[in-house]
Amino acid sequence: MADAGPSYDEDGGQRRPDDHAHFAGQVHPTGHGSSRPVREYRKSRGDRAGNALFSVLARAGIGPAHLLTTRGRKTGRLRTTPVILVVHGQQRWLVAPYGAVPWVLNARAAGQVRLRRGRDRRDYTLRQLPAAHAGPVLQRYFRIAPATRPYFQASKDSPVADFMAEADRHPVFELIPLSEASAGDTAKASRP
């Protein structure tokens, strides 16, 4: 499943060089793992076709995909892309397997997103996880989204430390239901 491509953002602007990672062929920062080449994301026709299929399935509530909607940070227009969530109990995380692609930049700017799967629509606020907490989530994501594996330096047998080392290239966001975030703010405001 793909996100938007690296040469332009969804709002039509040019992407800055620091908006995506270049890591191919380097030794893993922790000193563990190999110098396995990492693919740089470029959106292809196949990716567009896959996104279209995943979008249809997500609208029908079939399969693991959700539709992520963000507000364009420059245009203010709504942008939608299919994503795979990591879910454990009541916790949900959003992983950016291709780096700081446009939906990531838009989500960071807005501070909230909407997820849709079938008839279920929910709004969330975001909190980017530090590497220590993102590593285990990335390791789980790696197992459930095999199509994204070429974009990771770590392998399926890598320890969690290798995934922690990649957290700066693959941002992980905790999804906090907007109703809970609002309730927490109200509770804090009502305290003396």
Side-chain angles (χ1 to χ4, degrees), residues 37 39 44:
R39 187 181 307 164
S44 68

Side-chain angles (χ1 to χ4, degrees), residues 114-183:
R114 172 171 283 171
L115 287 171
R116 174 182 173 196
R117 186 166 182 272
R119 293 184 178 176
D120 184 34
R121 288 183 177 92
R122 295 187 186 182
D123 294 324
Y124 296 90
T125 58
L126 301 171
R127 182 177 71 91
Q128 187 166 342
L129 298 181
H133 293 109
V137 176
L138 285 171
Q139 192 174 42
R140 282 181 189 219
Y141 183 85
F142 193 84
R143 292 180 186 136
I144 64 172
T148 64
R149 289 179 184 169
Y151 302 94
F152 284 82
Q153 183 72 26
S155 69
K156 66 179 182 172
D157 299 322
S158 294
V160 74
D162 287 357
F163 289 94
M164 289 167 53
E166 293 200 53
D168 63 328
R169 292 187 315 109
H170 305 289
V172 177
F173 300 95
E174 178 181 13
L175 294 168
I176 304 161
L178 197 53
S179 57
E180 287 180 24
S182 298

Side-chain angles (χ1 to χ4, degrees), residues 12-172:
Q14 289 291 324
R15 300 203 52 222
R16 296 181 314 268
D18 60 337
D19 286 347
H20 55 90
H22 296 280
F23 203 72
Q26 296 178 3
V27 174
H28 204 277
T30 62
H32 302 116
S34 66
S35 59
R36 187 169 82 92
V38 176
R39 187 181 307 164
E40 184 178 321
Y41 183 71
R42 296 192 192 286
K43 194 169 191 175
S44 68
R45 287 184 190 158
D47 292 328
R48 286 182 180 87
N51 277 356
L53 175 62
F54 273 105
S55 294
V56 168
L57 293 174
R59 281 185 185 90
I62 300 170
H66 288 71
L67 291 175
L68 171 75
T69 301
T70 60
R71 185 162 301 280
R73 65 197 179 285
K74 295 176 185 176
T75 65
R77 294 189 318 210
L78 296 178
R79 305 293 184 177
T80 302
T81 190
V83 295
I84 304 277
L85 300 181
V86 176
V87 179
H88 182 69
Q90 294 297 318
Q91 293 183 298
R92 293 171 175 241
W93 297 276
L94 184 58
V95 174
Y98 309 119
V101 293
W103 73 256
V104 174
L105 302 174
N106 291 340
R108 281 179 177 156
Q112 66 182 52
V113 298
R114 172 171 283 171
L115 287 171
R116 174 182 173 196
R117 186 166 182 272
R119 293 184 178 176
D120 184 34
R121 288 183 177 92
R122 295 187 186 182
D123 294 324
Y124 296 90
T125 58
L126 301 171
R127 182 177 71 91
Q128 187 166 342
L129 298 181
H133 293 109
V137 176
L138 285 171
Q139 192 174 42
R140 282 181 189 219
Y141 183 85
F142 193 84
R143 292 180 186 136
I144 64 172
T148 64
R149 289 179 184 169
Y151 302 94
F152 284 82
Q153 183 72 26
S155 69
K156 66 179 182 172
D157 299 322
S158 294
V160 74
D162 287 357
F163 289 94
M164 289 167 53
E166 293 200 53
D168 63 328
R169 292 187 315 109
H170 305 289
V172 177

